[in-house]
Amino acid sequence: MSRQTKVAAATPAIRVLSLAGVEFSVHEFEHDPAARRYGSEACEKLGIEPPRVLKTLHILVDSAPVNALVPVSGQLDLKALASAAGGKKAVLAGIAEAERRTGYVTGGISPVGQRASLPLCIDESALEHSTVFVSAGRRGLEIELRPTDLVMITNATVARIANLD
């Protein structure tokens, strides 16, 4: 894995990782505008196992914004996330709210380089892999990096927050 800083349209996520000196690689694919399962599309087009591709979900825990990263092959356990975030109730935020708070479009929400620094919780299964993939900040662009680097750069909490298939 190499550190890449030259991408046609560097996103905030790529700029943050580059400035931090984190090793990563960028993988691009032609996004199908008809696709609605963005993580599954990335798996298919890049030939990656679904447990290694993490989807970023924008959640409200006791009305406070929190981001969660879970494998595309699993489902977020809202109760487990609420507990990990020190709250009681978690609900999925609306698309418009997620885009406004993160500065990214749905299907391209990266956990890195968001408009505001929000708490992040990553499912513990991510640490089982040498590298994982997260959105680079736009549809059709993924960042591959070590999960420990992702935890470090985002100051994330790691907990069991996913129901895995």
PDB file of all heavy atoms in Angstrom, residues 76-118:
ATOM      1  N   LEU A  76     -26.249  -2.289  10.976  1.00  0.00           N
ATOM      2  CA  LEU A  76     -25.996  -1.561  12.200  1.00  0.00           C
ATOM      3  C   LEU A  76     -26.991  -1.981  13.273  1.00  0.00           C
ATOM      4  O   LEU A  76     -28.191  -2.045  13.021  1.00  0.00           O
ATOM      5  CB  LEU A  76     -26.103  -0.052  11.954  1.00  0.00           C
ATOM      6  CG  LEU A  76     -25.948   0.842  13.182  1.00  0.00           C
ATOM      7  CD1 LEU A  76     -24.552   0.707  13.782  1.00  0.00           C
ATOM      8  CD2 LEU A  76     -26.234   2.286  12.817  1.00  0.00           C
ATOM      9  N   ASP A  77     -26.491  -2.265  14.466  1.00  0.00           N
ATOM     10  CA  ASP A  77     -27.326  -2.548  15.632  1.00  0.00           C
ATOM     11  C   ASP A  77     -27.480  -1.217  16.370  1.00  0.00           C
ATOM     12  O   ASP A  77     -26.550  -0.768  17.051  1.00  0.00           O
ATOM     13  CB  ASP A  77     -26.646  -3.603  16.510  1.00  0.00           C
ATOM     14  CG  ASP A  77     -27.432  -3.954  17.757  1.00  0.00           C
ATOM     15  OD1 ASP A  77     -28.215  -3.109  18.263  1.00  0.00           O
ATOM     16  OD2 ASP A  77     -27.238  -5.073  18.266  1.00  0.00           O
ATOM     17  N   LEU A  78     -28.628  -0.566  16.197  1.00  0.00           N
ATOM     18  CA  LEU A  78     -28.843   0.765  16.760  1.00  0.00           C
ATOM     19  C   LEU A  78     -28.722   0.778  18.277  1.00  0.00           C
ATOM     20  O   LEU A  78     -28.161   1.714  18.852  1.00  0.00           O
ATOM     21  CB  LEU A  78     -30.201   1.314  16.327  1.00  0.00           C
ATOM     22  CG  LEU A  78     -30.306   1.717  14.857  1.00  0.00           C
ATOM     23  CD1 LEU A  78     -31.760   1.963  14.473  1.00  0.00           C
ATOM     24  CD2 LEU A  78     -29.458   2.940  14.560  1.00  0.00           C
ATOM     25  N   LYS A  79     -29.202  -0.254  18.926  1.00  0.00           N
ATOM     26  CA  LYS A  79     -29.127  -0.325  20.391  1.00  0.00           C
ATOM     27  C   LYS A  79     -27.661  -0.420  20.843  1.00  0.00           C
ATOM     28  O   LYS A  79     -27.249   0.241  21.798  1.00  0.00           O
ATOM     29  CB  LYS A  79     -29.926  -1.522  20.894  1.00  0.00           C
ATOM     30  CG  LYS A  79     -30.100  -1.544  22.403  1.00  0.00           C
ATOM     31  CD  LYS A  79     -30.982  -2.693  22.836  1.00  0.00           C
ATOM     32  CE  LYS A  79     -32.412  -2.187  22.863  1.00  0.00           C
ATOM     33  NZ  LYS A  79     -33.336  -3.124  23.506  1.00  0.00           N
ATOM     34  N   ALA A  80     -26.864  -1.237  20.149  1.00  0.00           N
ATOM     35  CA  ALA A  80     -25.448  -1.382  20.499  1.00  0.00           C
ATOM     36  C   ALA A  80     -24.696  -0.079  20.254  1.00  0.00           C
ATOM     37  O   ALA A  80     -23.826   0.306  21.047  1.00  0.00           O
ATOM     38  CB  ALA A  80     -24.820  -2.525  19.697  1.00  0.00           C
ATOM     39  N   LEU A  81     -25.031   0.626  19.162  1.00  0.00           N
ATOM     40  CA  LEU A  81     -24.383   1.911  18.895  1.00  0.00           C
ATOM     41  C   LEU A  81     -24.740   2.924  19.974  1.00  0.00           C
ATOM     42  O   LEU A  81     -23.865   3.636  20.470  1.00  0.00           O
ATOM     43  CB  LEU A  81     -24.767   2.460  17.523  1.00  0.00           C
ATOM     44  CG  LEU A  81     -24.218   3.869  17.249  1.00  0.00           C
ATOM     45  CD1 LEU A  81     -22.699   3.878  17.222  1.00  0.00           C
ATOM     46  CD2 LEU A  81     -24.794   4.439  15.983  1.00  0.00           C
ATOM     47  N   ALA A  82     -26.013   2.995  20.341  1.00  0.00           N
ATOM     48  CA  ALA A  82     -26.420   3.942  21.386  1.00  0.00           C
ATOM     49  C   ALA A  82     -25.619   3.685  22.656  1.00  0.00           C
ATOM     50  O   ALA A  82     -25.093   4.621  23.276  1.00  0.00           O
ATOM     51  CB  ALA A  82     -27.918   3.825  21.649  1.00  0.00           C
ATOM     52  N   SER A  83     -25.490   2.425  23.037  1.00  0.00           N
ATOM     53  CA  SER A  83     -24.735   2.071  24.235  1.00  0.00           C
ATOM     54  C   SER A  83     -23.263   2.463  24.102  1.00  0.00           C
ATOM     55  O   SER A  83     -22.678   3.059  25.013  1.00  0.00           O
ATOM     56  CB  SER A  83     -24.871   0.574  24.494  1.00  0.00           C
ATOM     57  OG  SER A  83     -24.110   0.191  25.608  1.00  0.00           O
ATOM     58  N   ALA A  84     -22.654   2.153  22.955  1.00  0.00           N
ATOM     59  CA  ALA A  84     -21.235   2.475  22.732  1.00  0.00           C
ATOM     60  C   ALA A  84     -20.990   3.983  22.743  1.00  0.00           C
ATOM     61  O   ALA A  84     -19.922   4.443  23.136  1.00  0.00           O
ATOM     62  CB  ALA A  84     -20.767   1.874  21.405  1.00  0.00           C
ATOM     63  N   ALA A  85     -22.008   4.745  22.329  1.00  0.00           N
ATOM     64  CA  ALA A  85     -21.880   6.203  22.283  1.00  0.00           C
ATOM     65  C   ALA A  85     -22.321   6.856  23.590  1.00  0.00           C
ATOM     66  O   ALA A  85     -22.352   8.084  23.693  1.00  0.00           O
ATOM     67  CB  ALA A  85     -22.695   6.757  21.115  1.00  0.00           C
ATOM     68  N   GLY A  86     -22.674   6.046  24.585  1.00  0.00           N
ATOM     69  CA  GLY A  86     -23.074   6.580  25.881  1.00  0.00           C
ATOM     70  C   GLY A  86     -24.484   7.132  25.912  1.00  0.00           C
ATOM     71  O   GLY A  86     -24.808   7.978  26.745  1.00  0.00           O
ATOM     72  N   GLY A  87     -25.328   6.654  25.000  1.00  0.00           N
ATOM     73  CA  GLY A  87     -26.700   7.141  24.954  1.00  0.00           C
ATOM     74  C   GLY A  87     -27.707   6.030  25.160  1.00  0.00           C
ATOM     75  O   GLY A  87     -27.345   4.885  25.449  1.00  0.00           O
ATOM     76  N   LYS A  88     -28.964   6.402  24.965  1.00  0.00           N
ATOM     77  CA  LYS A  88     -30.041   5.442  25.169  1.00  0.00           C
ATOM     78  C   LYS A  88     -30.739   5.044  23.880  1.00  0.00           C
ATOM     79  O   LYS A  88     -31.139   3.911  23.716  1.00  0.00           O
ATOM     80  CB  LYS A  88     -31.074   6.017  26.136  1.00  0.00           C
ATOM     81  CG  LYS A  88     -30.532   6.177  27.531  1.00  0.00           C
ATOM     82  CD  LYS A  88     -31.576   6.687  28.474  1.00  0.00           C
ATOM     83  CE  LYS A  88     -30.955   6.834  29.859  1.00  0.00           C
ATOM     84  NZ  LYS A  88     -31.905   7.236  30.856  1.00  0.00           N
ATOM     85  N   LYS A  89     -30.903   6.006  22.960  1.00  0.00           N
ATOM     86  CA  LYS A  89     -31.669   5.729  21.749  1.00  0.00           C
ATOM     87  C   LYS A  89     -30.933   6.248  20.516  1.00  0.00           C
ATOM     88  O   LYS A  89     -30.429   7.372  20.509  1.00  0.00           O
ATOM     89  CB  LYS A  89     -33.048   6.391  21.843  1.00  0.00           C
ATOM     90  CG  LYS A  89     -33.928   6.077  20.662  1.00  0.00           C
ATOM     91  CD  LYS A  89     -35.296   6.689  20.810  1.00  0.00           C
ATOM     92  CE  LYS A  89     -36.128   6.335  19.584  1.00  0.00           C
ATOM     93  NZ  LYS A  89     -37.395   7.010  19.571  1.00  0.00           N
ATOM     94  N   ALA A  90     -30.889   5.418  19.475  1.00  0.00           N
ATOM     95  CA  ALA A  90     -30.238   5.806  18.222  1.00  0.00           C
ATOM     96  C   ALA A  90     -31.215   5.639  17.069  1.00  0.00           C
ATOM     97  O   ALA A  90     -31.958   4.656  17.022  1.00  0.00           O
ATOM     98  CB  ALA A  90     -29.000   4.946  17.977  1.00  0.00           C
ATOM     99  N   VAL A  91     -31.217   6.624  16.169  1.00  0.00           N
ATOM    100  CA  VAL A  91     -32.039   6.556  14.960  1.00  0.00           C
ATOM    101  C   VAL A  91     -31.202   7.040  13.781  1.00  0.00           C
ATOM    102  O   VAL A  91     -30.334   7.897  13.937  1.00  0.00           O
ATOM    103  CB  VAL A  91     -33.334   7.404  15.063  1.00  0.00           C
ATOM    104  CG1 VAL A  91     -34.259   6.858  16.134  1.00  0.00           C
ATOM    105  CG2 VAL A  91     -33.021   8.854  15.304  1.00  0.00           C
ATOM    106  N   LEU A  92     -31.490   6.489  12.622  1.00  0.00           N
ATOM    107  CA  LEU A  92     -30.803   6.894  11.412  1.00  0.00           C
ATOM    108  C   LEU A  92     -31.218   8.318  11.058  1.00  0.00           C
ATOM    109  O   LEU A  92     -32.401   8.645  11.053  1.00  0.00           O
ATOM    110  CB  LEU A  92     -31.161   5.934  10.267  1.00  0.00           C
ATOM    111  CG  LEU A  92     -30.380   6.051   8.971  1.00  0.00           C
ATOM    112  CD1 LEU A  92     -28.902   5.762   9.194  1.00  0.00           C
ATOM    113  CD2 LEU A  92     -30.949   5.074   7.949  1.00  0.00           C
ATOM    114  N   ALA A  93     -30.242   9.174  10.784  1.00  0.00           N
ATOM    115  CA  ALA A  93     -30.543  10.551  10.378  1.00  0.00           C
ATOM    116  C   ALA A  93     -31.024  10.553   8.933  1.00  0.00           C
ATOM    117  O   ALA A  93     -30.739   9.625   8.169  1.00  0.00           O
ATOM    118  CB  ALA A  93     -29.293  11.423  10.508  1.00  0.00           C
ATOM    119  N   GLY A  94     -31.727  11.580   8.555  1.00  0.00           N
ATOM    120  CA  GLY A  94     -32.188  11.711   7.183  1.00  0.00           C
ATOM    121  C   GLY A  94     -31.050  12.022   6.232  1.00  0.00           C
ATOM    122  O   GLY A  94     -29.981  12.494   6.644  1.00  0.00           O
ATOM    123  N   ILE A  95     -31.276  11.766   4.953  1.00  0.00           N
ATOM    124  CA  ILE A  95     -30.252  11.991   3.928  1.00  0.00           C
ATOM    125  C   ILE A  95     -29.802  13.449   3.907  1.00  0.00           C
ATOM    126  O   ILE A  95     -28.604  13.733   3.903  1.00  0.00           O
ATOM    127  CB  ILE A  95     -30.765  11.546   2.540  1.00  0.00           C
ATOM    128  CG1 ILE A  95     -30.912  10.029   2.508  1.00  0.00           C
ATOM    129  CG2 ILE A  95     -29.836  12.031   1.432  1.00  0.00           C
ATOM    130  CD1 ILE A  95     -31.601   9.491   1.259  1.00  0.00           C
ATOM    131  N   ALA A  96     -30.744  14.380   3.877  1.00  0.00           N
ATOM    132  CA  ALA A  96     -30.385  15.801   3.813  1.00  0.00           C
ATOM    133  C   ALA A  96     -29.547  16.217   5.015  1.00  0.00           C
ATOM    134  O   ALA A  96     -28.557  16.952   4.873  1.00  0.00           O
ATOM    135  CB  ALA A  96     -31.638  16.664   3.711  1.00  0.00           C
ATOM    136  N   GLU A  97     -29.914  15.732   6.190  1.00  0.00           N
ATOM    137  CA  GLU A  97     -29.161  16.070   7.396  1.00  0.00           C
ATOM    138  C   GLU A  97     -27.749  15.480   7.341  1.00  0.00           C
ATOM    139  O   GLU A  97     -26.777  16.147   7.696  1.00  0.00           O
ATOM    140  CB  GLU A  97     -29.898  15.560   8.632  1.00  0.00           C
ATOM    141  CG  GLU A  97     -29.202  15.933   9.921  1.00  0.00           C
ATOM    142  CD  GLU A  97     -29.995  15.538  11.150  1.00  0.00           C
ATOM    143  OE1 GLU A  97     -31.085  14.973  11.020  1.00  0.00           O
ATOM    144  OE2 GLU A  97     -29.502  15.826  12.252  1.00  0.00           O
ATOM    145  N   ALA A  98     -27.633  14.226   6.909  1.00  0.00           N
ATOM    146  CA  ALA A  98     -26.322  13.577   6.802  1.00  0.00           C
ATOM    147  C   ALA A  98     -25.424  14.339   5.832  1.00  0.00           C
ATOM    148  O   ALA A  98     -24.253  14.588   6.116  1.00  0.00           O
ATOM    149  CB  ALA A  98     -26.485  12.127   6.356  1.00  0.00           C
ATOM    150  N   GLU A  99     -25.965  14.732   4.694  1.00  0.00           N
ATOM    151  CA  GLU A  99     -25.170  15.455   3.696  1.00  0.00           C
ATOM    152  C   GLU A  99     -24.769  16.833   4.207  1.00  0.00           C
ATOM    153  O   GLU A  99     -23.638  17.276   4.016  1.00  0.00           O
ATOM    154  CB  GLU A  99     -25.936  15.545   2.383  1.00  0.00           C
ATOM    155  CG  GLU A  99     -26.063  14.189   1.702  1.00  0.00           C
ATOM    156  CD  GLU A  99     -26.834  14.209   0.399  1.00  0.00           C
ATOM    157  OE1 GLU A  99     -27.518  15.224   0.099  1.00  0.00           O
ATOM    158  OE2 GLU A  99     -26.762  13.200  -0.338  1.00  0.00           O
ATOM    159  N   ARG A 100     -25.679  17.513   4.880  1.00  0.00           N
ATOM    160  CA  ARG A 100     -25.384  18.854   5.405  1.00  0.00           C
ATOM    161  C   ARG A 100     -24.305  18.797   6.484  1.00  0.00           C
ATOM    162  O   ARG A 100     -23.358  19.580   6.479  1.00  0.00           O
ATOM    163  CB  ARG A 100     -26.663  19.474   5.974  1.00  0.00           C
ATOM    164  CG  ARG A 100     -26.475  20.864   6.549  1.00  0.00           C
ATOM    165  CD  ARG A 100     -27.785  21.463   7.069  1.00  0.00           C
ATOM    166  NE  ARG A 100     -28.552  20.590   7.930  1.00  0.00           N
ATOM    167  CZ  ARG A 100     -28.302  20.382   9.232  1.00  0.00           C
ATOM    168  NH1 ARG A 100     -27.299  20.989   9.806  1.00  0.00           N
ATOM    169  NH2 ARG A 100     -29.061  19.573   9.939  1.00  0.00           N
ATOM    170  N   ARG A 101     -24.422  17.843   7.400  1.00  0.00           N
ATOM    171  CA  ARG A 101     -23.472  17.759   8.511  1.00  0.00           C
ATOM    172  C   ARG A 101     -22.095  17.268   8.082  1.00  0.00           C
ATOM    173  O   ARG A 101     -21.087  17.700   8.639  1.00  0.00           O
ATOM    174  CB  ARG A 101     -24.013  16.844   9.597  1.00  0.00           C
ATOM    175  CG  ARG A 101     -25.091  17.517  10.406  1.00  0.00           C
ATOM    176  CD  ARG A 101     -25.016  17.097  11.855  1.00  0.00           C
ATOM    177  NE  ARG A 101     -25.897  17.936  12.644  1.00  0.00           N
ATOM    178  CZ  ARG A 101     -26.922  17.480  13.336  1.00  0.00           C
ATOM    179  NH1 ARG A 101     -27.178  16.191  13.353  1.00  0.00           N
ATOM    180  NH2 ARG A 101     -27.660  18.298  14.035  1.00  0.00           N
ATOM    181  N   THR A 102     -22.052  16.326   7.138  1.00  0.00           N
ATOM    182  CA  THR A 102     -20.760  15.744   6.756  1.00  0.00           C
ATOM    183  C   THR A 102     -20.062  16.489   5.631  1.00  0.00           C
ATOM    184  O   THR A 102     -18.850  16.431   5.508  1.00  0.00           O
ATOM    185  CB  THR A 102     -20.924  14.266   6.336  1.00  0.00           C
ATOM    186  OG1 THR A 102     -21.711  14.202   5.142  1.00  0.00           O
ATOM    187  CG2 THR A 102     -21.551  13.432   7.443  1.00  0.00           C
ATOM    188  N   GLY A 103     -20.847  17.155   4.784  1.00  0.00           N
ATOM    189  CA  GLY A 103     -20.265  17.826   3.626  1.00  0.00           C
ATOM    190  C   GLY A 103     -20.074  16.904   2.435  1.00  0.00           C
ATOM    191  O   GLY A 103     -19.478  17.291   1.434  1.00  0.00           O
ATOM    192  N   TYR A 104     -20.570  15.693   2.541  1.00  0.00           N
ATOM    193  CA  TYR A 104     -20.456  14.705   1.463  1.00  0.00           C
ATOM    194  C   TYR A 104     -21.850  14.276   1.008  1.00  0.00           C
ATOM    195  O   TYR A 104     -22.810  14.372   1.768  1.00  0.00           O
ATOM    196  CB  TYR A 104     -19.713  13.457   1.943  1.00  0.00           C
ATOM    197  CG  TYR A 104     -18.257  13.646   2.284  1.00  0.00           C
ATOM    198  CD1 TYR A 104     -17.789  13.414   3.569  1.00  0.00           C
ATOM    199  CD2 TYR A 104     -17.332  14.023   1.311  1.00  0.00           C
ATOM    200  CE1 TYR A 104     -16.438  13.550   3.880  1.00  0.00           C
ATOM    201  CE2 TYR A 104     -15.984  14.172   1.617  1.00  0.00           C
ATOM    202  CZ  TYR A 104     -15.546  13.924   2.900  1.00  0.00           C
ATOM    203  OH  TYR A 104     -14.216  14.059   3.201  1.00  0.00           O
ATOM    204  N   VAL A 105     -21.934  13.727  -0.218  1.00  0.00           N
ATOM    205  CA  VAL A 105     -23.205  13.202  -0.710  1.00  0.00           C
ATOM    206  C   VAL A 105     -23.375  11.747  -0.265  1.00  0.00           C
ATOM    207  O   VAL A 105     -22.395  11.027  -0.103  1.00  0.00           O
ATOM    208  CB  VAL A 105     -23.337  13.285  -2.256  1.00  0.00           C
ATOM    209  CG1 VAL A 105     -23.273  14.723  -2.730  1.00  0.00           C
ATOM    210  CG2 VAL A 105     -22.296  12.436  -2.945  1.00  0.00           C
ATOM    211  N   THR A 106     -24.609  11.336  -0.096  1.00  0.00           N
ATOM    212  CA  THR A 106     -24.908   9.956   0.268  1.00  0.00           C
ATOM    213  C   THR A 106     -24.282   9.023  -0.766  1.00  0.00           C
ATOM    214  O   THR A 106     -24.339   9.285  -1.955  1.00  0.00           O
ATOM    215  CB  THR A 106     -26.433   9.742   0.313  1.00  0.00           C
ATOM    216  OG1 THR A 106     -26.986  10.676   1.231  1.00  0.00           O
ATOM    217  CG2 THR A 106     -26.776   8.337   0.758  1.00  0.00           C
ATOM    218  N   GLY A 107     -23.696   7.958  -0.273  1.00  0.00           N
ATOM    219  CA  GLY A 107     -22.991   7.029  -1.155  1.00  0.00           C
ATOM    220  C   GLY A 107     -21.536   7.427  -1.320  1.00  0.00           C
ATOM    221  O   GLY A 107     -20.739   6.689  -1.890  1.00  0.00           O
ATOM    222  N   GLY A 108     -21.177   8.598  -0.799  1.00  0.00           N
ATOM    223  CA  GLY A 108     -19.804   9.073  -0.857  1.00  0.00           C
ATOM    224  C   GLY A 108     -19.387   9.686   0.465  1.00  0.00           C
ATOM    225  O   GLY A 108     -18.421  10.449   0.531  1.00  0.00           O
ATOM    226  N   ILE A 109     -20.112   9.367   1.538  1.00  0.00           N
ATOM    227  CA  ILE A 109     -19.776   9.941   2.846  1.00  0.00           C
ATOM    228  C   ILE A 109     -18.569   9.222   3.420  1.00  0.00           C
ATOM    229  O   ILE A 109     -18.621   8.037   3.730  1.00  0.00           O
ATOM    230  CB  ILE A 109     -20.969   9.874   3.819  1.00  0.00           C
ATOM    231  CG1 ILE A 109     -22.126  10.734   3.297  1.00  0.00           C
ATOM    232  CG2 ILE A 109     -20.549  10.328   5.225  1.00  0.00           C
ATOM    233  CD1 ILE A 109     -23.377  10.700   4.152  1.00  0.00           C
ATOM    234  N   SER A 110     -17.483   9.955   3.544  1.00  0.00           N
ATOM    235  CA  SER A 110     -16.264   9.414   4.131  1.00  0.00           C
ATOM    236  C   SER A 110     -16.259   9.705   5.623  1.00  0.00           C
ATOM    237  O   SER A 110     -16.740  10.754   6.053  1.00  0.00           O
ATOM    238  CB  SER A 110     -15.037  10.067   3.487  1.00  0.00           C
ATOM    239  OG  SER A 110     -13.850   9.553   4.074  1.00  0.00           O
ATOM    240  N   PRO A 111     -15.680   8.810   6.413  1.00  0.00           N
ATOM    241  CA  PRO A 111     -15.557   9.094   7.840  1.00  0.00           C
ATOM    242  C   PRO A 111     -14.432  10.090   8.123  1.00  0.00           C
ATOM    243  O   PRO A 111     -14.278  10.558   9.242  1.00  0.00           O
ATOM    244  CB  PRO A 111     -15.249   7.721   8.447  1.00  0.00           C
ATOM    245  CG  PRO A 111     -14.555   6.982   7.343  1.00  0.00           C
ATOM    246  CD  PRO A 111     -15.204   7.470   6.076  1.00  0.00           C
ATOM    247  N   VAL A 112     -13.657  10.418   7.099  1.00  0.00           N
ATOM    248  CA  VAL A 112     -12.497  11.312   7.233  1.00  0.00           C
ATOM    249  C   VAL A 112     -12.777  12.606   6.483  1.00  0.00           C
ATOM    250  O   VAL A 112     -13.332  12.593   5.389  1.00  0.00           O
ATOM    251  CB  VAL A 112     -11.227  10.637   6.654  1.00  0.00           C
ATOM    252  CG1 VAL A 112     -10.013  11.539   6.782  1.00  0.00           C
ATOM    253  CG2 VAL A 112     -10.974   9.293   7.313  1.00  0.00           C
ATOM    254  N   GLY A 113     -12.366  13.731   7.062  1.00  0.00           N
ATOM    255  CA  GLY A 113     -12.464  15.008   6.365  1.00  0.00           C
ATOM    256  C   GLY A 113     -13.869  15.572   6.282  1.00  0.00           C
ATOM    257  O   GLY A 113     -14.182  16.305   5.349  1.00  0.00           O
ATOM    258  N   GLN A 114     -14.696  15.267   7.256  1.00  0.00           N
ATOM    259  CA  GLN A 114     -16.059  15.787   7.248  1.00  0.00           C
ATOM    260  C   GLN A 114     -16.078  17.263   7.632  1.00  0.00           C
ATOM    261  O   GLN A 114     -15.146  17.777   8.240  1.00  0.00           O
ATOM    262  CB  GLN A 114     -16.942  14.984   8.202  1.00  0.00           C
ATOM    263  CG  GLN A 114     -17.149  13.562   7.735  1.00  0.00           C
ATOM    264  CD  GLN A 114     -18.183  12.814   8.564  1.00  0.00           C
ATOM    265  OE1 GLN A 114     -18.772  13.346   9.485  1.00  0.00           O
ATOM    266  NE2 GLN A 114     -18.390  11.548   8.208  1.00  0.00           N
ATOM    267  N   ARG A 115     -17.152  17.914   7.284  1.00  0.00           N
ATOM    268  CA  ARG A 115     -17.344  19.341   7.559  1.00  0.00           C
ATOM    269  C   ARG A 115     -17.175  19.642   9.053  1.00  0.00           C
ATOM    270  O   ARG A 115     -16.572  20.634   9.428  1.00  0.00           O
ATOM    271  CB  ARG A 115     -18.727  19.762   7.091  1.00  0.00           C
ATOM    272  CG  ARG A 115     -19.051  21.211   7.307  1.00  0.00           C
ATOM    273  CD  ARG A 115     -20.350  21.594   6.646  1.00  0.00           C
ATOM    274  NE  ARG A 115     -20.144  21.652   5.199  1.00  0.00           N
ATOM    275  CZ  ARG A 115     -21.054  21.329   4.297  1.00  0.00           C
ATOM    276  NH1 ARG A 115     -22.239  20.911   4.672  1.00  0.00           N
ATOM    277  NH2 ARG A 115     -20.789  21.430   3.012  1.00  0.00           N
ATOM    278  N   ALA A 116     -17.724  18.799   9.909  1.00  0.00           N
ATOM    279  CA  ALA A 116     -17.609  18.971  11.359  1.00  0.00           C
ATOM    280  C   ALA A 116     -17.043  17.691  11.951  1.00  0.00           C
ATOM    281  O   ALA A 116     -17.269  16.604  11.428  1.00  0.00           O
ATOM    282  CB  ALA A 116     -18.978  19.260  11.959  1.00  0.00           C
ATOM    283  N   SER A 117     -16.296  17.829  13.019  1.00  0.00           N
ATOM    284  CA  SER A 117     -15.734  16.659  13.683  1.00  0.00           C
ATOM    285  C   SER A 117     -16.811  16.026  14.561  1.00  0.00           C
ATOM    286  O   SER A 117     -17.252  16.629  15.533  1.00  0.00           O
ATOM    287  CB  SER A 117     -14.529  17.077  14.531  1.00  0.00           C
ATOM    288  OG  SER A 117     -13.985  15.951  15.169  1.00  0.00           O
ATOM    289  N   LEU A 118     -17.246  14.839  14.167  1.00  0.00           N
ATOM    290  CA  LEU A 118     -18.302  14.139  14.890  1.00  0.00           C
ATOM    291  C   LEU A 118     -17.746  12.856  15.494  1.00  0.00           C
ATOM    292  O   LEU A 118     -16.821  12.253  14.942  1.00  0.00           O
ATOM    293  CB  LEU A 118     -19.455  13.790  13.938  1.00  0.00           C
ATOM    294  CG  LEU A 118     -20.149  14.955  13.258  1.00  0.00           C
ATOM    295  CD1 LEU A 118     -21.148  14.451  12.231  1.00  0.00           C
ATOM    296  CD2 LEU A 118     -20.827  15.840  14.290  1.00  0.00           C
TER     297      LEU A 118
END
